[in-house]
Amino acid sequence: MPSLEVTPTTGIAPEVEQARFLRACRNLPVDRTPIWIMRQAGRYLPEYRALREHYDLLQICEHPELAAEVSLQPLRRFDLDAAILFSDIMIPLRPIGVDLQIVENVGPVIARPIRDAAAVAALRPLEPEADVPYVLQTIRLMRQELGSKTPLIGFAGGPFTLASYLVEGKPSRDFAQTKGLMYTQPETWHALMARLAQVVTRFLQAQVAAGVQAVQLFDSWVGALSPRDYREYVQPYSAAIFQAISTVPTIHFGTDTATLLQEMYQAGGDVIGLDWRIDLDRARQQLGPSAAVQGNLDPTLLLAPGEVWVRQAREILALNGDRPGHIFNLGHGIRPDTPPDAVARLVDTVHGWEGT
Ligand code: CP3
């Protein structure tokens, strides 16, 4: 539930609490609709590709100067309302005993997928200061760079999405192995989810302590579940994570979740992430006035000429109307083939919106 009080978070630059992104997370009125973009640092930017010629993704994540540099790249180009830590949802899994690689144009690949109780028992708890010091150091560096103007978003993968990579061993469309484990070895499933919820909780708490002003839980693939299976197999674990994060606003994101929004909001999150498969006003109606929302332009639109999607971006703003609690974003991560100029135009369109 959003708190109406503006609580200072880390004591660093308290003015940042008035930034329009954080006010919108708390459902407070803003002068302009805030915008940031999922995967705003990444391959659509030539300066990111140039750095990637020398370092792979994990190397960037593990070196605070590089990770901070990459996070700041989009902010130098565009008037974005938040920065997001440059990392990956898989980062906290390597130190707990998962042998994983991130394969270009594929995604995370696990050497020995987790399919039984022994494999779950072998996952050890995360000790963020010892296991992922570079993530916390990146946050500290970025807080210094960003000063009082721009909030920094931390993040973690949602428990279902992390479990799906661990069980499948690679990206999947139907999640057959994951659901197989869930339905045929429920105790193993629940043990895996409990361990992941604990890892994510500690990871997010450490990010907050290091200086992030908001956190997003990326449960990107949870839309593969029926509402009843979500309630039984996922919701308690996401709820435990959100309950443990009380000092900064939280964003709860998934895709294909038009039929799960109320269940996700019940699990937690001050802001609910929306993909493009639902009209924004319909989602807000389902969620009620206390939920803020984030979204929801189809990222593929940005490949089309501006006259096609500027209209659609304005339609989204109009569907929100003058309600507080809307953060503009794409419905999922920006595509690597997006022209950077489209992002500049989108930011102008959102900030220039004067209402219907
Ligand atoms: O948003 C940002 O700018 C912050 C950085 C960020 C990355 N990954 C860097 C990255 C964030 C927030 C993520 C989250 C993430 N990672 C998710 C959840 C969000 C979503 O898109 O649903 C997921 C499912 C992953 C797992 C993952 N990592 C995938 C599917 C891929 C793509 C593989 C590919 O090559 O297409 C990755 C790699 C990855 N993580 C890239 C980036 C910028 C690709 C670029 C590269 O290899 O340099």
Side-chain angles (χ1 to χ4, degrees):
M1 294 288 129
S3 69
L4 293 174
E5 304 269 306
V6 175
T7 30
T9 51
T10 56
I12 310 162
E15 316 87 272
V16 78
E17 296 297 328
Q18 292 308 321
R20 50 168 92 100
F21 165 74
L22 291 174
R23 290 183 59 86
C25 286
R26 297 190 159 97
N27 231 341
L28 297 170
V30 286
D31 59 339
R32 303 267 146 200
T33 301
I35 173 170
W36 70 281
I37 290 178
M38 287 185 279
R39 296 272 174 100
Q40 65 191 23
R43 281 170 295 185
Y44 75 106
L45 289 178
E47 56 271 36
Y48 176 80
R49 293 197 299 272
L51 207 85
R52 277 281 276 111
E53 287 183 16
H54 305 286
Y55 308 98
D56 67 28
L57 178 76
L58 294 177
Q59 281 175 319
I60 297 176
C61 295
E62 288 170 4
H63 289 86
E65 288 79 10
L66 295 175
E69 164 61 24
V70 167
S71 299
L72 293 168
Q73 283 176 346
L75 283 107
R76 295 199 186 105
R77 276 182 182 255
F78 313 118
D79 185 22
L80 294 159
D81 291 291
I84 179 161
L85 167 72
F86 192 81
S87 185
D88 192 85
I89 60 165
M90 304 305 286
I91 286 286
L93 300 182
R94 296 226 289 184
I96 69 165
V98 178
D99 183 351
L100 82 91
Q101 287 188 309
I102 297 186
V103 179
E104 187 135 20
N105 299 318
V106 177
V109 176
I110 312 291
R112 291 176 301 282
I114 291 181
R115 306 264 168 94
D116 57 33
V120 174
L123 296 174
R124 65 167 186 78
L126 183 78
E127 306 290 347
E129 293 287 348
D131 290 331
V132 284
Y134 42 85
V135 174
L136 308 179
Q137 188 55 23
T138 303
I139 292 168
R140 293 184 195 107
L141 269 180
M142 290 197 65
R143 255 321 349 135
Q144 284 170 14
E145 294 280 333
L146 293 169
S148 61
K149 191 171 163 269
T150 310
L152 175 60
I153 304 169
F155 71 90
F160 177 82
T161 298
L162 293 176
S164 78
Y165 285 116
L166 292 177
V167 176
E168 302 289 334
K170 57 183 192 308
S172 166
R173 273 182 180 277
D174 55 10
F175 303 98
Q177 297 287 343
T178 311
K179 291 182 183 180
L181 185 80
M182 192 185 271
Y183 299 140
T184 62
Q185 300 182 61
E187 280 176 25
T188 304
W189 173 261
H190 286 291
L192 175 60
M193 292 296 274
R195 171 45 43 94
L196 290 173
Q198 188 202 40
V199 165
V200 168
T201 299
R202 288 190 183 181
F203 189 39
L204 290 177
Q205 284 175 332
Q207 292 182 38
V208 172
V212 300
Q213 280 83 33
V215 295
Q216 176 157 326
L217 193 72
F218 284 95
D219 216 350
S220 304
W221 311 134
V222 80
L225 295 177
S226 67
R228 63 101 38 225
D229 282 353
Y230 178 81
R231 286 191 291 269
E232 179 170 348
Y233 296 107
V234 178
Q235 198 180 44
Y237 304 100
S238 299
I241 294 166
F242 284 109
Q243 265 157 30
I245 310 295
S246 55
T247 56
V248 300
T250 54
I251 307 170
H252 194 174
F253 170 79
T255 65
D256 237 331
T257 50
T259 52
L260 287 181
L261 294 175
Q262 282 154 319
E263 278 76 9
M264 288 174 69
Y265 187 48
Q266 226 170 40
D270 301 304
V271 184
I272 299 298
L274 306 174
D275 78 4
W276 59 92
R277 295 173 180 90
I278 185 163
D279 287 334
L280 187 131
D281 58 339
R282 193 174 294 183
R284 293 209 79 160
Q285 200 182 351
Q286 281 182 28
L287 288 165
S290 59
V293 294
Q294 176 173 279
N296 67 341
L297 191 76
D298 184 341
T300 314
L301 275 167
L302 296 188
L303 307 184
E307 63 261 27
V308 176
W309 55 258
V310 166
R311 193 166 41 92
Q312 290 210 30
R314 291 192 182 128
E315 280 168 16
I316 289 169
L317 292 158
L319 287 178
N320 186 68
D322 52 15
R323 282 176 281 203
H326 177 215
I327 298 150
F328 201 101
N329 207 315
L330 302 178
H332 201 178
I334 190 167
R335 295 173 48 100
D337 47 356
T338 307
D341 285 350
V343 175
R345 186 156 180 201
L346 180 61
V347 172
D348 282 352
T349 302
V350 172
H351 285 164
W353 171 251
E354 300 282 356
T356 36

